Amino acid sequence: MFELFTRLADWMTYSIMGLEKTTKLADAVHFFIEDTTKIFFLLALMIYIIGFARSYVSPEKVRLWLTGKSRLTGYVLAALLGAITPFCSCSSVPLFIAFLSAGIPLGVTMAFLITSPLVNEVAVVLLGNALGLKFTITYVGTGLVLGIVGGFVIDFFKLDKWVEPYVWQIKMPTPATAEEAEGWAWREKFARGEAIDIIKRVWIYVLIGVGLGAGLHGYVPREWFLEHAGADNIFAVPLAVLIGIPLYSNATGIIPVAEVLMNKGVPVGTILAFIMSIVAISLPELLILRKVLKPQMLLFFVGFLFVAFVGIGYLFNFIFGG
Amino acid sequence: MEITVFGKGCSRCESTIHRIEREAVELGVPVTIHKITDEIEIIQNGIMTTPAVKIDGKIVHSGGIPSIEAVQSWLT
């Protein structure tokens, strides 16, 4: 089915631009055209389809569903809902307070906030396109488990003390959800709106990411990666995670780069750890959450994710490697 | 017409304000837009997701940029 995009890239690279087939430039250009056209097509299609499912959930509804649930159900449900519920990162603080004021445990709230940036339909589309179904399922599963375990650990160590005390005092009135139309016409419009909105926001990252990937693809030799990030380099995983922490991008920008890393022989676990570190730990997000969380909690959060990502990296290198 | 837009100054909040201003000019309705950026105040208004819009003491929209049709329906 995707041959169409290869042929389109063939035609544009060799016929329209007249590039010589075996040159590095042609290679990079071909990669860029094939990947961007395919990604935009898949994104539009997937977001539109998933948009229908998303029209049934909103953070307000999630808050209702999570209220009064047992902890165990809470972690699992929060992680699952985090994966499909859209919210803008500038809503993190109101959302956080709203969850706590409804009596939802801190760990359950954090499970939601951990999974939300890690697992989303854009990441799923790009991973599926770049690295295949097996890797995508692994990624989604790992992301969910990470949210569940993270939430559990936070409650286990009773880290409520590291939430700014004023947060507990806030009484939130019942969320005033705007009246929404229901029915298929509304859901179709919602799904279409989502597709347009998300593509408008991510297209530039797709171009940058694929551009970067195309450059690496065409110009950096495989030996370089094997030497620095290959399976023999025991420090590659922690290093990849460390490099990923200050780098901030959403999944969109980084996955096309990951695809090239994979093709160049960098092991799966290392790539997984690198992507997760970039996507899940973002300094702007941490600064926003500083308003409700004490520095100790932010340090714990980053520390937990660091250890988890390194563990995941080694684990999957072990499972998929050799 | 008094309209309050809630949100911590992210690009979506700005787009919401611009959209309301543009439609108001288009329809010739005079509006005063108040911006609430403080998260505590946002939460105390019962809002979880921003940008949100409040008109005459009623939350008419929450989470995401409102559609042009929605904005027009508030103004008329």
Side-chain angles (χ1 to χ4, degrees):
Chain A
M1 156 187 190
F2 297 132
E3 237 173 82
L4 178 71
F5 299 100
T6 314
R7 271 197 235 137
L8 178 72
D10 281 345
W11 177 66
M12 285 182 75
T13 314
Y14 310 127
S15 305
I16 304 272
M17 289 189 240
L19 293 171
E20 199 64 48
K21 237 183 186 176
T22 48
T23 60
K24 283 178 177 167
L25 180 66
D27 211 23
V29 169
H30 189 277
F31 177 89
F32 183 81
I33 294 172
E34 182 178 349
D35 238 32
T36 46
T37 48
K38 194 163 63 174
I39 286 173
F40 281 122
F41 171 77
L42 285 172
L43 271 183
L45 190 71
M46 279 289 283
I47 301 170
Y48 182 72
I49 293 170
I50 294 173
F52 283 93
R54 283 170 80 163
S55 73
Y56 289 90
V57 290
S58 68
E60 286 83 1
K61 286 183 190 156
V62 170
R63 179 178 184 259
L64 270 182
W65 293 335
L66 289 178
T67 306
K69 289 281 181 310
S70 78
R71 287 188 184 236
L72 197 63
T73 318
Y75 302 129
V76 176
L77 201 60
L80 282 173
L81 291 169
I84 54 168
T85 312
F87 75 94
C88 166
S89 71
C90 54
S91 295
S92 298
V93 167
L95 209 125
F96 181 85
I97 299 175
F99 275 32
L100 290 192
S101 79
I104 296 171
L106 178 65
V108 175
T109 306
M110 292 303 289
F112 182 82
L113 289 179
I114 292 172
T115 321
S116 190
L118 267 178
V119 184
N120 56 62
E121 74 277 27
V122 177
V124 167
V125 166
L126 290 168
L127 282 171
N129 167 51
L131 305 172
L133 192 63
K134 197 166 87 176
F135 187 94
T136 309
I137 293 171
T138 309
Y139 177 91
V140 171
T142 312
L144 292 176
V145 169
L146 206 65
I148 294 167
V149 172
F152 174 79
V153 168
I154 285 167
D155 281 341
F156 183 78
F157 288 112
K158 302 199 169 33
L159 300 185
D160 293 24
K161 56 185 184 242
W162 287 343
V163 173
E164 290 291 347
Y166 80 89
V167 170
W168 304 105
Q169 312 302 324
I170 297 172
K171 295 271 173 289
M172 187 201 179
T174 319
T177 35
E179 287 157 40
E180 277 164 356
E182 300 272 327
W184 280 104
W186 177 77
R187 295 192 194 285
E188 195 279 328
K189 207 170 147 227
F190 176 89
R192 196 157 21 104
E194 284 282 291
I196 294 169
D197 187 44
I198 292 177
I199 287 179
K200 258 190 186 162
R201 268 187 302 128
V202 303
W203 70 271
I204 186 79
Y205 298 102
V206 173
L207 292 189
I208 293 172
V210 178
L212 216 61
L216 289 173
H217 178 76
Y219 292 97
V220 183
R222 190 180 160 88
E223 291 71 33
W224 189 89
F225 284 102
L226 285 180
E227 190 187 327
H228 292 89
D232 298 336
N233 187 348
I234 190 93
F235 296 113
V237 172
L239 215 65
V241 176
L242 270 183
I243 293 170
I245 290 177
L247 283 183
Y248 170 62
S249 158
N250 45 28
T252 332
I254 198 60
I255 291 168
V257 176
E259 176 181 8
V260 176
L261 297 182
M262 186 95 134
N263 290 336
K264 300 273 186 188
V266 177
V268 173
T270 312
I271 295 174
L272 196 68
F274 184 56
I275 300 177
M276 288 192 156
S277 163
I278 289 182
V279 174
I281 310 178
S282 92
L283 293 179
E285 175 87 354
L286 288 178
L287 286 177
I288 291 174
L289 285 175
R290 171 66 191 92
K291 182 146 191 180
V292 285
L293 298 175
K294 291 187 176 167
Q296 295 96 307
M297 182 70 176
L298 296 182
L299 273 176
F300 174 85
F301 185 64
V302 174
F304 168 78
L305 289 179
F306 176 80
V307 172
F309 293 153
V310 172
I312 288 167
Y314 283 129
L315 181 69
F316 284 102
N317 279 351
F318 178 74
I319 295 174
F320 287 107
Chain B
M1 193 178 221
E2 305 257 325
I3 298 177
T4 313
V5 176
F6 298 85
K8 200 172 166 54
C10 62
S11 66
R12 289 177 162 201
C13 308
E14 294 304 318
S15 306
T16 303
I17 292 171
H18 289 318
R19 181 163 283 181
I20 296 172
E21 281 170 344
R22 204 172 39 231
E23 293 309 313
V25 170
E26 196 94 334
L27 294 166
V29 182
V31 291
T32 318
I33 297 179
H34 304 281
K35 277 162 75 169
I36 306 279
T37 54
D38 180 61
E39 283 122 337
I40 309 306
E41 223 180 316
I42 292 175
I43 230 7
Q44 280 167 344
N45 273 279
I47 292 163
M48 271 178 72
T49 47
T50 55
V53 182
K54 189 175 180 177
I55 300 172
D56 297 331
K58 194 164 170 279
I59 309 288
V60 293
H61 175 81
S62 179
I65 304 165
S67 67
I68 291 175
E69 298 88 70
V71 174
Q72 285 171 344
S73 74
W74 305 332
L75 294 170
T76 47

